Amino acid sequence: MSYAIYVGRNHSRTGHAWLAGYGDEPSSHWLEIVPAADHLEGATIEVGVGPGADMPGQRIAVPQAAHTLRHMRVSYSYYLGVPAPITNGGVNAAGVAVRDVWSTSRAELREMTPRDQRGFTYSDLARAVLERATSARGAVELCAALIAEHGEASYGGNSHLFADADEAWVMIQFAGGQGLWVAERLGPDSIRASRPGYVLEVPVDEPDHPDFLYAPNFVSFAREQGWYDQGPFDANAIYGDGKGRWEGIRWIEAEMQARAARPEKIGLEDMIWAIRTERLTGDTAGYGQVVPLVRAANPGLVPMWHAACGALSAPFSPVFLGQESIPAEYGPHRYLTTGESHRFMDLRKAVSGGRDTVSLVPQRHETTVGAFQDCKRLMYLMQLTGEGALAPVHGAFARREVCLDELVAAHLKVAELAVQGGCAAEAMRVLESFANGELSAALALVRDLAAGLAAQLTGAGPHPAPDRPAGFGQIW
């Protein structure tokens, strides 16, 4: 399902907006920094779903952009048959951040979705925005144009939250194969959570309203179906699940509004708390992201805070867009990667004509234990230990993150001066060394905490296995 939260700059201690969230998928996850690229005229990319997807369709080739932007994202290998690698969040060199969140459409729209649907999946749209968009509104317009020209391959309804330094837009894409979508602008005073993504009342009697955009057939199709006649147009009631703001959304938005009302307003630790709290985050969360929506002096200085699995059991560390590498532990591994169960690190079958038999994961990565796997182990140890594990683990994470927040500010200040002095390449090397050192330190902390909890469980003596997986009380 995934989760996103946006906080406008007027609520921010540091004067910039924030976008944070996590992806909710069962497969392996890995961090990627994708370089900018120029593409030959006539270059294409493949988008859509195949016949094996839960809501099947046909893959199609569409034109690639002439130039794609440098960006960083988290990728994963499986969700409802959508072809890998899949992504639902990151930030690009223009400072545009993306979060993708499920948003189911009404049953009639799901039923009328063509079985041979063609077009961009939620992941294709998120990737296209990371590669091409230079503003949050531009991201909406890009997705609208791609859907209008090439169609959309839905898995039942979806949403995106696009954000830049000035504003954010929630965009809902509805199932049904009708090209239906709506987008709402969020400004400096907004606090908005998505799980699922939602847009409520749309002022359809004001077609030039600056805070709303929607498909040309947005109103007419609802009338044709008998779902709308006149009066207020509630997009969620007419095209969505009709539930409005779910309980978890109401809770976290109220909590963040209360924090924003304090004299100190909202800082990094509050954004991390919103992604880490055990009331919202558990085993389904595949990673965590917090993006400060800043205007960087150089694209390489664009930062993102990354947690290798659900932040319940993973500390956040800074990553910078100018990095050329990340530790292998944070790259792809075979653990929980769909398709790897029938592949080998062995070329003999491939040489003899075997198909799809060689691992897609670099062998060097398999010489390390994946960060995702390490953090998952800590999560299960925490859940088996019980509520008493939360305070020491989260306290250790928080103390580290407070210190890191200050170090990141200092490194960025020095890096900006270096860039101004013509030493951009040297600045990026220093940031990369700092960030990679902290990513490695984060794993060392996770392993130490896991060792402590494992010893605690062992010392408690034998105990019967629980009838069901242990966990903490979540709202969703």
Side-chain angles (χ1 to χ4, degrees), residues 10 16 43 49 61 71-72 96 124 228 278 343 351 367 442 447:
N10 287 350
H16 60 75
V49 296
H71 62 277
M72 49 186 163
V96 177
D124 297 327
Y228 173 72
E278 70 279 4
R343 299 186 183 122
V351 170
T367 67
R447 290 163 184 160

Side-chain angles (χ1 to χ4, degrees), residues 224-240:
E224 291 167 8
Q225 299 300 310
W227 301 338
Y228 173 72
D229 183 18
Q230 59 184 355
F233 194 106
D234 186 324
N236 177 261
I238 294 169
Y239 284 135

Side-chain angles (χ1 to χ4, degrees), residues 135-156:
S135 70
R137 183 186 175 110
V140 174
E141 294 168 343
L142 171 64
C143 290
L146 293 173
I147 291 170
E149 184 173 1
H150 303 290
E152 182 195 3
S154 178
Y155 66 106

Side-chain angles (χ1 to χ4, degrees), residues 130-182:
L130 289 170
E131 290 181 342
R132 308 179 191 185
T134 57
S135 70
R137 183 186 175 110
V140 174
E141 294 168 343
L142 171 64
C143 290
L146 293 173
I147 291 170
E149 184 173 1
H150 303 290
E152 182 195 3
S154 178
Y155 66 106
N158 194 65
S159 76
H160 288 90
L161 210 167
F162 306 123
D164 60 29
D166 296 316
E167 62 184 11
W169 286 81
V170 177
M171 183 180 188
I172 315 294
Q173 300 103 18
F174 300 99
Q178 304 299 314
L180 294 166
W181 60 271
V182 64

Side-chain angles (χ1 to χ4, degrees), residues 416-436:
E416 287 175 5
L417 293 173
V419 168
Q420 292 169 11
C423 297
E426 291 82 356
M428 300 311 158
R429 289 185 65 185
V430 170
L431 288 179
E432 179 176 307
S433 177
F434 164 60
N436 284 351

Side-chain angles (χ1 to χ4, degrees), residues 40 52 70-71 123 163 173 199 229 270 286 331 401 407 421 424 434 459 474:
L40 296 175
R70 187 178 185 87
H71 62 277
S123 172
Q173 300 103 18
V199 170
D229 183 18
D270 301 299
E401 289 155 354
L407 282 173
F434 164 60
Q474 289 183 240

